[in-house]
Amino acid sequence: MRVLLLLGLVAVALCEPIRFVGDKVLRLTPGSEEDVTIIREIGHKIKVDFWKPDSPDLVTIGMNVDIHVPAAQLDMVFTILQQSGMEVKVMFENLQEAVETQMDNKMATKAHDYTKYNNWATINDWVISISSANADLISRQVIGNTYEGRPMHLLQIGKKTSSAKPAIFMDCGFHAREWITHAFCQWFIKEAVSTYGSDPEMTNLLDRMDFFVLPVFNIDGYEYTWTKDRMWRKTRSRNSGSSCIGTDPNRNFDAGWCTTGASSNPCSETYCGSSIESEIESKNLANFIRSNKSIIKSYLTIHSYSQMLLFPYSYKYDLAAHHSELLSVSQGAIAALRSLYGTRYTSGPGAVTIYPSAGGQSSTPTPWSFNQLLVLLAVWESAKSCWKMKSASSKSWSTEGSMKCSKISR
């Protein structure tokens, strides 16, 4: 009986979500090469989670380095930092409190709620519902299933015509823990269909073009952030020869694959996978792009934890052939955004503007889709470190909220 009871307690513990009571998020600012070395050693020798940059190896002098430090490691980390004299700011005193504010604690409503984070089951139902209710503007298809068998819904938004129109592709949720991105795609789709016919610019856009929107790319990882680990980032596939789970899908494409800024270690948050497009999600997306590259004119991908608009290249410092045009478009976009909300974004090639990284499709805007399409590839890095939703009537997002943030990492 005692053995059965013990096994039962172990099973319950394994099912319980990971908690972050007492964990802190620190912002470090290395002022010298010695500081950089200290931060890198912390990352390699102590179990901490790098939010910015993705890896300790990408730390450079003067950048803001944000790390999530578990409560059990705080004394050791603080001792090292105090001895170094490095500038340190505590961004979250107790990470668990911030996590709890994000969970769904509202009463259920019949209508889809765009002002809170929705889990995968809710998003899945919404995708089916909104496409059925707006059949004149939205068509839905499944571009494949995830590793765990969930359908990857893609919505095509635009006025139906007898011939194919130019299209813009947009995805959200490459990294599972970046919840604000999933919410953005839902909000965008709602805005597109609800303003068509009343807003001249949106009406003209959807009459002349289509949007392909993938509301959630890394579905398995996103589900895991709800049920087990809010800070999970990668996919949920098994890695042969390793007990570590998942691949960073944003290092899994054929663009300088597994070189600068990516890791061949399956336990790393930037693990590039066993091969190019080893992840079924990556393969499904790549196949869709390859099949529709004749009509896709722009690729937009939404990430969080910076305020940047990035474009190729990221795996090398060379400028793209159409650099001047990419820069002009990006500067126009951030100027328009600033005129509306005062939000300041930075734009430029990924390798120069943030840091070099390879194998990316999205937040590290390497040239995989750029080479496939020869069009504008842009990455919106939104929600600088925090966010708040304005009232539904304001029809806008703000990234200038309190520090109770959407995670928040790339």
Side-chain angles (χ1 to χ4, degrees), residues 302-336:
I302 313 301
H303 284 249
S304 70
Y305 209 60
S306 292
Q307 293 190 167
M308 297 180 177
L309 178 53
L310 307 176
F311 53 83
Y313 293 114
S314 275
Y315 80 100
K316 60 182 180 179
Y317 288 101
D318 296 357
L319 298 181
H322 305 288
H323 173 78
S324 296
E325 182 179 4
L326 291 168
L327 184 62
S328 176
V329 170
S330 67
Q331 290 177 340
I334 63 175

Side-chain angles (χ1 to χ4, degrees), residues 25-36:
V25 177
L26 308 180
R27 171 163 289 176
L28 316 177
T29 306
S32 64
E33 286 295 343
E34 183 179 357
D35 289 346
V36 169

